[in-house]
Amino acid sequence: MSARTIIIDHGSAFLKAGLSGGNEPQLVLPSVVNYVPCRENPGPSCARRRVSLGTDICRPDTFSYPVQRGRVINWEGVEHIWSFILEKHRLEHGDFPVIVTESPLKGPADRQKTLEIMFELLDVPSVLLADQREMSLYSSSLLTGVVVDSGCGLTRVQPFHLGRPLWPGEKTLEFAGQDLSAYLFKSLFKEDYSRHNLFQLDTVASTQMNKCYVPQNLGEELDFYQSLPDGADRSNSYQLPDGTPVELTAMQRLAPEMFFSPQVFNLQGPSLPQAVVESIEACEPSLRPLLAAHVAPCGGNTLYPGFTTRLYQLVASHFSPTRASVFAGSNRHFSVWLGASVVAHLSMYKSEWVTKAEFSERLRL
């Protein structure tokens, strides 16, 4: 193990990267690439286009997300982003081992591809592939508990006992932040909505970050909004490009209710609290009180005001308030990265690292 390690946590919306030992990743950038046809040889062929990071404001329809719903759908884009990250760190700090966090949806072929990129293309000395849910557990300073991870592409629930996953309780819900964004796109812009319209993207992102919250009781909150006169809350609006203010509806501000009442938004599957309860109930009866007492939410969606309070109330209503507890750290949107930063210095993971020499030997066998 090295004294310092480069940690890459590549999510569906953002990539977090940096050297281990910090209180947060040193680099956070959108997981977005764009393809621009080359003037010298224009055309649709891969050989006739240039890939770059982020969005091109002159060609907003050329960007895409290489990771969706926890699955890599564009390895070329992933290679480009990882190359940028490692080149930047090498220029500033030199060469270090790398931890790449991975979604539980990745299969053996994805892991092999990750190692090929890291060793053959990027020439790193050693790599550790780390499960994102397990890293979130360590960031909460827990060995036993229930990780509730809700990001852009996936919402996942995984119980652990003494650091080991309890597989009967594993839950994956395929509604997450991007579904909330899709709801806001359609409700704000109706038939004119476009996921490649940069103004609409900015409006939706700003609404999610600054206006949305989780009500403690949906019915009571809707009644409250209905009792307000028009324009009573000046913060309850956004502006069109021409400066015209538009007032948000109650359901637009309460969009994160999606995680607690998915049927209201025409989404299938159990609510997040129901999935947590079912996850705990699927484990051994003797472990249930301990698991209910150590629920660890993480991921960007858990930052919505009211989210952790509502989650606690619903879990406590099933297991009793004296037994339930929710651990909500202020940096829980970086939980995976922070957990990997801890693991980088644990000797118990030494046997799970793969060196470049070991990888080359495997290929020869």
Side-chain angles (χ1 to χ4, degrees):
M1 293 184 298
S2 172
R4 304 297 295 275
T5 301
I6 299 172
I7 298 167
I8 298 175
D9 175 32
H10 199 159
S12 300
F14 290 94
L15 181 143
K16 284 79 72 177
L19 288 174
S20 61
N23 293 323
E24 60 183 31
Q26 292 91 55
L27 187 63
V28 179
L29 70 158
S31 178
V32 176
V33 294
N34 69 83
Y35 290 93
V36 179
C38 295
R39 289 183 179 180
E40 302 81 14
N41 201 6
S45 168
C46 292
R48 300 172 184 171
R49 62 185 184 179
R50 183 176 67 254
V51 61
S52 59
L53 294 178
T55 57
D56 184 336
I57 60 173
C58 298
R59 299 180 178 87
D61 59 336
T62 61
F63 75 85
S64 64
Y65 301 89
V67 179
Q68 294 185 20
R69 300 283 190 194
R71 302 174 179 90
V72 176
I73 63 169
N74 175 5
W75 281 105
E76 181 188 28
V78 167
E79 287 179 16
H80 187 79
I81 296 174
W82 290 355
S83 297
F84 170 80
I85 296 295
L86 291 180
E87 286 173 12
K88 180 176 177 63
H89 278 86
R90 282 167 172 163
L91 284 173
E92 298 176 359
H93 307 288
D95 211 2
F96 292 103
V98 176
I99 292 180
V100 180
T101 70
E102 57 177 1
S103 164
L105 298 182
K106 279 189 176 181
D110 296 313
R111 296 187 184 98
Q112 179 68 17
K113 182 66 174 178
T114 298
L115 294 175
E116 287 177 3
I117 293 172
M118 285 293 162
F119 289 128
E120 297 178 357
L121 178 69
L122 303 178
D123 196 30
V124 303
S126 57
V127 175
L128 173 65
L129 303 182
D131 182 271
Q132 292 172 343
R133 299 163 301 179
E134 190 175 345
M135 299 304 100
S136 294
L137 181 76
Y138 285 121
S139 73
S140 302
S141 300
L142 297 173
L143 287 177
T144 296
V146 183
V147 172
V148 183
D149 184 359
S150 185
C152 176
L154 293 171
T155 298
R156 301 167 294 188
V157 180
Q158 178 66 63
F160 290 86
H161 181 240
L162 298 179
R164 296 184 178 276
L166 301 173
W167 297 117
E170 180 185 24
K171 299 282 184 183
T172 299
L173 309 177
E174 290 215 7
F175 64 83
Q178 70 182 64
D179 300 286
L180 196 155
S181 298
Y183 169 77
L184 289 174
F185 266 108
K186 293 176 182 177
S187 63
L188 287 171
F189 301 106
K190 307 296 188 292
E191 65 276 1
D192 294 326
Y193 92 94
S194 168
R195 299 301 295 268
H196 285 83
N197 182 303
L198 298 184
F199 163 74
Q200 293 183 14
L201 278 168
D202 183 66
T203 300
V204 168
S206 178
T207 300
Q208 287 183 252
M209 288 188 290
N210 302 312
K211 308 290 186 181
C212 290
Y213 65 96
V214 175
Q216 299 311 298
N217 184 295
L218 179 61
E220 291 178 3
E221 204 73 9
L222 290 175
D223 290 341
F224 168 74
Y225 276 104
Q226 195 168 9
S227 68
L228 291 176
D230 292 342
D233 185 357
R234 291 186 178 181
S235 67
N236 189 34
S237 64
Y238 68 96
Q239 285 191 334
L240 296 174
D242 62 3
T244 304
V246 178
E247 191 164 356
L248 297 170
T249 67
M251 286 306 295
Q252 286 165 353
R253 293 203 66 179
L254 303 177
E257 176 69 21
M258 176 180 295
F259 299 103
F260 299 87
S261 305
Q263 68 281 358
V264 173
F265 299 84
N266 298 317
L267 293 172
Q268 300 296 317
S271 67
L272 181 54
Q274 184 182 347
V276 173
V277 169
E278 290 176 357
S279 173
I280 296 172
E281 293 287 359
C283 299
E284 292 291 333
S286 61
L287 295 176
R288 292 171 191 170
L290 192 58
L291 294 172
H294 298 86
V295 176
C298 60
N301 296 319
T302 69
L303 293 177
Y304 285 115
F307 188 103
T308 55
T309 302
R310 179 84 172 275
L311 178 63
Y312 165 75
Q313 290 175 346
L314 294 172
V315 173
S317 68
H318 186 87
F319 292 103
S320 86
T322 57
R323 293 184 177 181
S325 182
V326 172
F327 291 74
S330 59
N331 279 346
R332 58 188 180 274
H333 53 312
F334 295 144
S335 286
V336 175
W337 190 92
L338 291 170
S341 182
V342 172
V343 164
H345 304 286
L346 294 181
S347 59
M348 61 185 287
Y349 279 84
K350 186 175 181 180
S351 63
E352 298 188 30
W353 283 87
V354 180
T355 66
K356 186 174 182 180
E358 289 170 342
F359 178 75
S360 299
E361 183 65 24
R362 288 182 191 176
L363 294 181
R364 285 195 292 268
L365 294 178

